[in-house]
Amino acid sequence: MDGDSVKLIGFWASPPVLRVKWALALKGIEYQYVEEDLSNKSDMLLNYNPVYKKVPVLVHQGKPLAESLLILEYIDETWKQNPLLPHSPYERAHARFWSKFVDDKCVPTVIAAFSKGGEEQQKAAEEARENLKMLEVGLEGKRFFGGDKIGFVDIAIGWLPYWIGIVEEIVGMNLIDADSMPKLNSWFHAFLDIPIIKECMPPHDKLLNHTKAFLQVLTSSSSP
Amino acid sequence: MGEVKLIATHESFPCARIEWSLKIKGVEYEYLKEDLSNKSDLLIESNPVHKKVPVLIHNGKPIAESLVILEYIDETWKDNNNHLLLPQDPYDRALARFWARFIDEKCVMSVWQACVAQQGEEKEKAVEAALETLSLLENQIKGKKFFGGEKIGYLDIVAGWLSYWLSVLEELGEIELVNAERFPFLHEWANNFINTSPIKDCIPPREDVLAYFSFGINYVRSMHGTQ
């Protein structure tokens, strides 16, 4: 696929963008990265993603694609080396199911747990923990969601514990701990140890400060 | 190619999607009717995460979430009836998935909210939001018989609720969203879709869908009423 033009429009602190960076790195695909200022969205972004106006957007041979999980599948189907999704339809269905579960259930409840106050926060934290614990079902008997090597689900989910850790530092609440979620905890550490994964992660302190500001906005908009 | 079971309820359009796909592929299956007010052990064991229908069980192995099941069916029975649901080209596949998610995440929710909202400014705003999502779909179907081209495809199946369930929601919500004047292409597609076999062979009686949605709407309205 020489001479292909691949462009990724992203934002340094965005988890969905990170998923795409990991996928491109794992496949060894060269690309041009364009950092977007989300407070002042470019015409290019609005042109490429008129429906959601969000990052990431992958542009391949001039054709834009939005929505990170879809982009991952596109990358996997277009560049066949180092497959991300498993081979069997049943395993693929499971990979899609867990990735969707994280986005539809885990993320909203984690955000709620960190942005609400008082009794509501306790309830939200409980729900978030339940959802996170559920992920261990997908890890049953495996080192990574992808088996011995990381795969689609690992890169779909891998950012979440890192972000949770950052917010735990800020808010002083614990969502993932080694006792109640041993499998998830050891998976996360093994995942983060992988050089190609670590390389793409945003710097800890920079992300911490950015997340503090983000949480402030969240909590001020959700208070009565 | 093995034993296929479907745990479903007949009023649910996510369940209808699965029946349509299995019939298009000519796959025989056993229909297991679920009572959602008294969930079966089988449902809870097969879908412990969400405890929802539809669930497809193929050779004893369960798969949940309608969009996930659709892709599984397409991959597992890819040569059946010479009818692939998803396009072959990776970019076209990605676009089909994009619009499918848009339908499930934006369109369904906005239509539901327009339906449930009480008369007044809230309802007007909700209707406007719903119309916006539908106008994007109108652009997608323009110039095509089906979203899948000449044959029904993945996106037609995902959008299929617009051809039948929508009119029930419109009736209950006292709104009109899709008509021939406002969305001529979507309107025509809906008529084509609902009148094509095997789609028309497995749609539930209107009064059942009416009862099912009424219950949901009254519940939501009563929640708002107590706040």
Side-chain angles (χ1 to χ4, degrees):
Chain A
M1 287 250 168
D2 290 330
D4 268 353
S5 85
V6 182
K7 181 158 56 181
L8 173 63
I9 307 171
F11 177 63
W12 67 272
S14 155
V17 171
L18 186 53
R19 286 169 166 170
V20 180
K21 283 183 179 169
W22 280 334
L24 292 168
L26 283 165
K27 298 261 188 185
I29 299 163
E30 284 188 16
Y31 63 98
Q32 180 202 0
Y33 178 75
V34 178
E35 179 75 11
E36 183 70 27
D37 175 3
L38 295 181
S39 61
N40 182 22
K41 291 178 182 177
S42 68
D43 288 341
M44 177 176 65
L45 177 65
L46 299 177
N47 229 14
Y48 280 146
N49 190 2
V51 177
Y52 296 111
K53 307 175 177 55
K54 285 181 179 179
V55 291
V57 172
L58 189 81
V59 187
H60 181 217
Q61 295 172 329
K63 297 193 276 194
L65 267 182
E67 299 292 283
S68 60
L69 294 182
L70 304 189
I71 295 172
L72 291 191
E73 293 227 35
Y74 175 79
I75 288 171
D76 209 30
E77 288 171 12
T78 306
W79 292 275
K80 308 272 194 211
Q81 67 273 27
N82 293 343
L84 301 174
L85 274 169
H87 183 68
S88 88
Y90 185 67
E91 297 301 317
R92 292 159 75 83
H94 262 235
R96 290 175 179 131
F97 176 88
W98 285 114
S99 309
K100 205 172 183 293
F101 174 73
V102 163
D103 277 5
D104 293 349
K105 288 270 182 271
C106 290
V107 173
T109 52
V110 165
I111 291 179
F114 287 132
S115 60
K116 291 195 191 287
E119 210 182 282
E120 272 194 323
Q121 182 175 56
Q122 297 295 349
K123 254 183 87 187
E126 238 353 276
E127 220 191 314
R129 283 190 195 99
E130 262 172 47
N131 285 331
L132 290 166
K133 180 85 185 145
M134 200 80 80
L135 287 174
E136 295 203 316
V137 174
L139 270 174
E140 206 61 49
K142 296 187 285 187
R143 182 151 199 253
F144 298 110
F145 288 94
D148 290 328
K149 288 200 302 184
I150 58 173
F152 188 91
V153 180
D154 299 280
I155 65 176
I157 298 181
W159 64 275
L160 187 58
Y162 187 74
W163 257 251
I164 289 176
I166 296 251
V167 186
E168 281 174 341
E169 273 183 69
I170 300 169
V171 166
M173 171 173 52
N174 179 249
L175 280 188
I176 298 182
D177 77 87
D179 296 322
S180 62
M181 298 168 205
K183 287 196 207 102
L184 200 66
N185 195 51
S186 49
W187 158 76
F188 170 56
H189 286 110
F191 179 75
L192 209 49
D193 248 352
I194 299 168
I196 216 171
I197 299 299
K198 255 198 293 217
E199 267 157 39
C200 300
M201 285 289 212
H204 176 271
D205 292 347
K206 194 177 176 194
L207 189 62
L208 187 74
N209 289 332
H210 172 83
T211 310
K212 271 190 190 149
F214 175 74
L215 274 179
Q216 242 174 346
V217 172
L218 256 188
T219 46
S220 64
S221 68
S222 70
S223 40
Chain B
M1 222 183 153
E3 184 194 51
V4 182
K5 298 185 193 191
L6 174 65
I7 312 175
T9 59
H10 70 269
E11 313 94 348
S12 144
F13 64 79
C15 293
R17 288 170 176 169
I18 310 309
E19 288 210 86
W20 292 333
S21 325
L22 290 169
K23 289 197 191 296
I24 284 172
K25 296 280 190 176
V27 175
E28 293 203 1
Y29 59 98
E30 185 189 347
Y31 185 92
L32 300 174
K33 185 176 172 172
E34 184 68 30
D35 173 5
L36 292 176
S37 63
N38 183 21
K39 292 179 181 179
S40 67
D41 290 340
L42 183 64
L43 176 64
I44 296 172
E45 273 158 29
S46 310
N47 188 4
V49 176
H50 300 296
K51 305 178 181 59
K52 285 183 176 175
V53 291
V55 177
L56 190 80
I57 307 179
H58 183 207
N59 289 332
K61 298 200 273 194
I63 303 131
E65 295 289 286
S66 66
L67 298 190
V68 175
I69 299 172
L70 288 182
E71 294 225 30
Y72 176 82
I73 289 172
D74 207 28
E75 287 173 9
T76 304
W77 291 280
K78 57 179 181 291
D79 298 321
N80 277 36
N81 287 348
N82 197 31
H83 193 148
L84 275 173
L85 299 177
L86 275 158
Q88 300 248 46
D89 173 74
Y91 187 70
D92 293 336
R93 289 162 78 80
L95 286 183
R97 288 174 179 138
F98 176 88
W99 287 111
R101 276 169 149 237
F102 175 79
I103 287 169
D104 264 9
E105 287 169 18
K106 295 281 177 221
C107 206
V108 171
M109 194 39 67
S110 68
V111 166
W112 174 255
Q113 276 165 357
C115 170
V116 161
Q118 306 279 28
Q119 293 295 346
E121 200 184 310
E122 189 201 329
K123 198 167 187 74
E124 272 172 37
K125 273 199 171 139
V127 166
E128 213 180 291
L131 288 176
E132 247 182 73
T133 68
L134 291 165
S135 72
L136 291 177
L137 292 179
E138 172 80 355
N139 285 339
Q140 288 305 308
I141 193 62
K142 215 174 270 193
K144 295 197 275 196
K145 184 177 185 196
F146 296 114
F147 288 98
E150 281 306 304
K151 289 202 276 199
I152 285 176
Y154 169 83
L155 196 48
D156 299 278
I157 291 171
V158 175
W161 64 276
L162 289 168
S163 70
Y164 186 74
W165 281 257
L166 175 66
S167 68
V168 176
L169 285 170
E170 285 171 327
E171 184 184 319
L172 288 170
E174 294 172 299
I175 51 177
E176 194 184 28
L177 296 173
V178 176
N179 59 40
E181 287 75 44
R182 193 182 278 136
F183 298 125
F185 298 105
L186 207 54
H187 188 253
E188 194 184 331
W189 162 82
N191 274 332
N192 276 335
F193 183 78
I194 203 66
N195 287 307
T196 306
S197 271
I199 310 300
K200 65 180 180 183
D201 308 318
C202 41
I203 44 175
R206 192 181 170 85
E207 55 268 22
D208 291 354
V209 182
L210 212 69
Y212 175 70
F213 280 149
S214 294
F215 179 79
I217 290 167
N218 290 334
Y219 177 77
V220 172
R221 283 185 178 158
S222 70
M223 296 292 284
H224 286 176
T226 54
Q227 277 179 346

